[in-house]
Amino acid sequence: MSTNPTIPTNPAAPAVRLSGVGKVFGSTHAVRDVTLDIRQNEFFSILGPSGCGKTTLMRMITGFEAPSEGTVELGGVPATGVPAHKRDLNMLFQSYALFPHLSVAANVAFELKVRKLRPKAEIAGAVREALALVRLDGYGDRSVSQLSGGQRQRVAIARALIARPSLLLLDEPLGALDKQLRAEMQLELKKIQREVGVTFVTVTHDQEEALTMSDRIAVMNGGRVVQVDTPEGVYERPASRFVASFIGTSNFLTGTSDGHALSVEGLGVLPLPKTDVVGEAHLAVRPENVGVCGKEPAVPPGSAALRGTLQQSVYLGGTVRHHLALADGSTFVAQTHASGAAGLTPGGPAWAHWRPDAARLLAE
């Protein structure tokens, strides 16, 4: 996709502003009433399960799709109705879309040459700078067929950034890489984004990827944005049961809150963290915030404890995941350090316990 903008943008305005944006395909509402600002020079992720509308939302930002309702602004300038090639942005696809018959340098220079965005005399220098940015100095003469998956992705990033767009959109950018390389490239992408000072917007279903790379995350479900926050915020302070279950793993206890305690059928009354939630509610507790032991613990006032039966303990390296069967037939999970749980025997009694600030109460 080309970066040959004809409409000047305002660097003081949000990089992207979506106001009441929706998209309808026939009778299907793919995106519903999305309003959010993406700040200049931030790494922003749109995260959600397959079919949640995140790719459609990205396509409306790029101009590949027109909103059925609402408006899109780029750098403070209305973009609704502006064709994709007139927007000051570029896009990195999961497939990379490299030309196998061209060298690395020719791939990176392709857009500059075709769109005549730089004088011919400046192109070689621009290509060297772009390859240095992605740690591929000296690779210009190689064929892309000689490169590893991670190196191909770096070439694609260099090509996307060589014209210095105001905004780079990335569609599942690490999906084609193996797990170890994906983890390395998460850090590399964030480092590159900081160095170039370009706003990055990535679309992904990978929670770890979004948590690792992002300054902020928009979580989508059913065509709607259900929470926008920092990685710490969406993990530690989820706004709904969906967010708490989609990002990471949570235990849920459903009952009735009076603001001080939660009554759970079959399990009794559990003390609550400070909350304004009254009525039907879910108590969410992350496994890593749960302690477990083989005899009834002496918990501090306000802390909670549940008795269960240890089903199994799964060794995960530095940690162990313990699965407890509770009296109501549900399963509760605690994840501790390998040496953090004593006196546990499969089939024997086990108590899960946690501090008040380790739990979060979510309205039904």
Side-chain angles (χ1 to χ4, degrees):
M1 181 175 175
S2 166
T3 58
N4 187 22
T6 59
I7 301 174
T9 58
N10 178 6
V16 179
R17 169 163 285 170
L18 305 175
S19 302
V21 169
K23 183 65 179 180
V24 180
F25 296 101
S27 61
T28 301
H29 289 260
V31 175
R32 297 171 180 264
D33 193 24
V34 172
T35 296
L36 64 87
D37 285 355
I38 298 174
R39 300 165 186 159
Q40 295 281 356
N41 303 330
E42 79 171 330
F43 201 125
F44 191 91
S45 289
I46 302 173
L47 173 68
S50 297
C52 72
K54 59 186 184 294
T55 298
T56 301
L57 186 63
M58 180 184 66
R59 288 176 61 83
M60 288 189 283
I61 296 173
T62 61
F64 290 148
E65 294 284 355
S68 301
E69 57 189 11
T71 59
V72 178
E73 293 182 13
L74 300 179
V77 177
T80 306
V82 177
H85 69 278
K86 297 290 187 181
R87 303 186 184 200
D88 186 14
L89 53 81
N90 213 331
M91 188 164 178
L92 180 67
F93 297 96
Q94 183 178 344
S95 64
Y96 311 148
L98 299 176
F99 300 107
H101 62 286
L102 296 181
S103 68
V104 168
N107 267 279
V108 175
F110 182 81
E111 186 168 356
L112 295 185
K113 291 180 177 179
V114 171
R115 301 297 301 178
K116 299 180 181 179
L117 299 178
R118 297 282 285 271
K120 288 183 179 180
E122 297 180 6
I123 290 179
V127 169
R128 284 194 297 271
E129 291 177 6
L131 290 177
L133 176 68
V134 297
R135 320 291 188 260
L136 286 178
D137 313 67
Y139 280 72
D141 293 332
R142 296 195 187 186
S143 166
V144 293
S145 62
Q146 296 174 310
L147 304 181
S148 67
Q151 289 169 335
R152 289 192 188 98
Q153 187 190 56
R154 291 168 191 255
V155 174
I157 294 169
R159 185 176 63 182
L161 291 174
I162 194 168
R164 295 302 171 105
S166 297
L167 176 65
L168 179 64
L169 295 108
L170 306 96
D171 183 13
E172 300 281 2
L174 307 179
L177 305 179
D178 61 48
K179 183 176 181 180
Q180 181 174 346
L181 186 55
R182 192 160 61 243
E184 293 173 3
M185 285 305 300
Q186 289 169 6
L187 301 178
E188 191 68 22
L189 268 178
K190 181 60 180 175
K191 183 177 181 181
I192 291 170
Q193 187 268 335
R194 286 174 175 164
E195 290 180 3
V196 298
V198 170
T199 304
F200 278 28
V201 179
T202 184
V203 167
T204 182
H205 67 275
D206 189 311
Q207 307 145 35
E208 180 182 340
E209 186 176 300
L211 292 171
T212 300
M213 298 191 300
S214 309
D215 296 313
R216 290 189 303 146
I217 300 170
V219 184
M220 290 192 70
N221 185 39
R224 301 182 185 275
V225 171
V226 294
Q227 186 170 357
V228 180
D229 210 330
T230 62
E232 180 184 6
V234 295
Y235 188 84
E236 299 290 346
R237 298 178 296 279
S240 66
R241 176 166 180 156
F242 169 78
V243 176
S245 60
F246 182 72
I247 299 179
T249 303
S250 289
N251 297 292
F252 292 102
L253 299 168
T254 301
T256 303
S257 166
D258 63 3
H260 304 283
L262 184 74
S263 298
V264 183
E265 186 176 353
L267 297 179
V269 179
L270 299 171
L272 289 176
K274 185 178 180 180
T275 181
D276 295 325
V277 177
V278 176
E280 292 298 308
H282 306 289
L283 186 69
V285 193
R286 301 284 188 188
E288 65 269 25
N289 292 331
V290 178
V292 63
C293 54
K295 62 180 181 179
E296 187 171 3
V299 297
S303 294
L306 286 173
R307 186 185 191 281
T309 301
L310 182 65
Q311 294 176 313
Q312 62 176 338
S313 295
V314 181
Y315 179 69
L316 300 174
T319 62
V320 178
R321 180 165 288 193
H322 309 278
H323 297 256
L324 282 66
L326 301 182
D328 65 350
S330 64
T331 299
F332 204 84
V333 180
Q335 188 160 323
T336 68
H337 290 292
S339 59
L344 294 174
T345 304
W351 276 262
H353 55 90
W354 60 91
R355 305 183 316 275
D357 60 357
R360 184 166 178 83
L361 192 65
L362 305 169
E364 178 66 37

